[in-house]
Amino acid sequence: MSQAPETLTPLLLAGAPESLHDTLRSAPALEALLTELLDQGRAAWPTVALAPAALLHHVGQHLRAEGTPLDALQQLHAADVYLACACAQGEPQALQLFEKHVLQKSAARLSRHLTAMVDEVLQVTRQRLLLGVHGGAPKIAEYSGRGSLGGWVRIVASRIGGELLEQTGRHEQASTPPEALEQLLSRDDPERNVLQAHSRQALSESLQAALATLSERERALLRLHHLHGLTMDRIATLYAEPRSSVARHVAQARERLLKQTHRELAARLKLDGREVESLLGLVQSRLDLSLHRLMG
């Protein structure tokens, strides 16, 4: 049910630049236009709960001093800005719909150069768009509604993909110097000194080889939890999946990583099971740091 007349304009003014207030107040069709904007958003996403004040404050914040505010409001992608605003508010149903109708469709249209790392691109895109940094608003709050939400997200995802390609050299597996493995071991651990140079190098190579056997989704989940420190609840929100499912997948990915590292070490160093377990034990307790070094 729509808001009663003469109630929506103040909600828009609360977010709009003060320099536009007089222009907006004098627009005779503004109230009807805001009512239509709200109704279109509700019609497109009937299961999404979003307060009119939140939507119109969001819209007001993105009005520009140049141009005609009424024209800008008429050209808004109402359904898209409604969904984006609800996502910025952390509305669970909106996050699920965003994943299904926007993010996954955007992934299908990424450059062919990014097809081998789609899950990782999506993971970082989710994080940047849907999680605030240092208490700030999520980046999706920057979406103005002037273009389609899908197109805007594709641009963000493409830029992230380019950054990942540049940072990690995903066209070929990035190498990690053996010296980095020193950081995997506790400084006061007496066993640290028994690792010879060839053992450290084998450990580095084994971890990298093990990571390469994981799927993009598994690496993305491990990166979120072990590198970025997100809780299972936060990851479940990002993926719009049950917490129990996410926790199980993270645990399975971690277990696969350790088992594959075990196999790789045994093959490289020609060690028996007990010796490999001893060496791998030095790494297992420091897995968070190892993932930071090898995936960061």
Side-chain angles (χ1 to χ4, degrees):
M1 183 175 179
S2 300
Q3 289 282 315
E6 306 302 329
T7 61
L8 299 181
T9 297
L11 302 180
L12 180 73
L13 296 179
E18 190 172 351
S19 59
L20 297 179
H21 285 195
D22 290 341
T23 301
L24 291 168
R25 287 194 186 98
S26 63
L30 179 60
E31 195 68 32
L33 181 58
L34 297 180
T35 299
E36 181 181 4
L37 175 66
L38 186 59
D39 286 345
Q40 287 180 2
R42 287 170 169 168
W45 313 108
T47 62
V48 174
L50 179 64
L55 174 65
L56 297 179
H57 189 276
H58 176 99
V59 170
Q61 285 184 313
H62 291 286
L63 289 176
R64 297 174 177 174
E66 63 272 14
T68 305
L70 205 60
D71 290 342
L73 290 171
Q74 290 172 335
Q75 295 168 11
L76 285 180
H77 292 244
D80 286 353
V81 77
Y82 188 96
L83 182 64
C85 182
C87 287
Q89 297 287 316
E91 206 281 328
Q93 187 65 28
L95 294 171
Q96 293 182 25
L97 292 167
F98 174 80
E99 174 75 22
K100 178 179 179 181
H101 295 285
V102 180
L103 194 60
Q104 292 300 328
K105 290 183 178 179
S106 297
R109 301 181 63 178
L110 288 174
S111 164
R112 61 182 178 84
H113 299 296
L114 300 176
T115 54
M117 54 187 304
V118 168
D119 283 346
E120 187 169 0
V121 171
L122 291 185
Q123 172 254 308
V124 178
T125 302
R126 287 187 193 94
Q127 184 181 358
R128 289 197 189 173
L129 291 183
L130 303 178
L131 295 180
V133 178
H134 304 306
K139 186 175 178 62
I140 199 169
E142 298 176 10
Y143 172 67
S144 67
R146 282 186 286 272
S148 74
L149 180 59
W152 186 79
V153 171
R154 281 195 299 277
I155 291 173
V156 173
S158 295
R159 288 175 178 170
I160 288 171
E163 291 173 9
L164 292 176
L165 285 173
E166 182 178 350
Q167 291 172 5
T168 63
R170 293 302 296 273
H171 288 303
E172 56 183 71
Q173 185 73 28
S175 61
T176 300
E179 293 78 9
L181 269 299
E182 292 286 346
Q183 299 299 320
L184 296 174
L185 309 178
S186 174
R187 292 182 179 180
D188 55 1
D189 193 327
E191 290 185 86
R192 175 176 182 267
N193 297 321
V194 307
L195 282 178
Q196 301 300 316
H198 75 283
S199 298
R200 295 198 304 270
Q201 182 171 353
L203 187 53
S204 174
E205 293 171 351
S206 296
L207 281 166
Q208 290 186 38
L211 282 169
T213 67
L214 301 183
S215 68
E216 283 289 338
R217 177 181 169 85
E218 288 174 319
R219 285 196 294 269
L221 288 171
L222 289 175
R223 185 188 292 271
L224 277 173
H225 183 57
H226 291 284
L227 177 59
H228 297 295
L230 297 190
T231 65
M232 296 303 173
D233 289 327
R234 297 294 294 277
I235 299 173
T237 298
L238 286 180
Y239 278 87
E241 295 180 6
R243 182 191 185 281
S244 58
S245 176
V246 167
R248 183 174 66 255
H249 292 152
V250 170
Q252 289 172 344
R254 177 190 174 101
E255 186 64 22
R256 281 195 60 196
L257 176 62
L258 289 172
K259 285 183 177 180
Q260 189 60 34
T261 302
H262 183 289
R263 296 190 190 99
E264 294 288 341
L265 272 174
R268 282 175 166 79
L269 296 180
K270 304 294 191 294
L271 299 176
D272 61 28
R274 182 177 301 176
E275 292 172 315
V276 173
E277 288 293 345
S278 176
L279 183 58
L280 190 57
L282 299 177
V283 179
Q284 186 166 353
S285 63
R286 309 277 292 184
L287 181 59
D288 291 2
L289 183 55
S290 74
L291 288 170
H292 183 93
R293 298 290 299 182
L294 295 176
M295 300 179 72

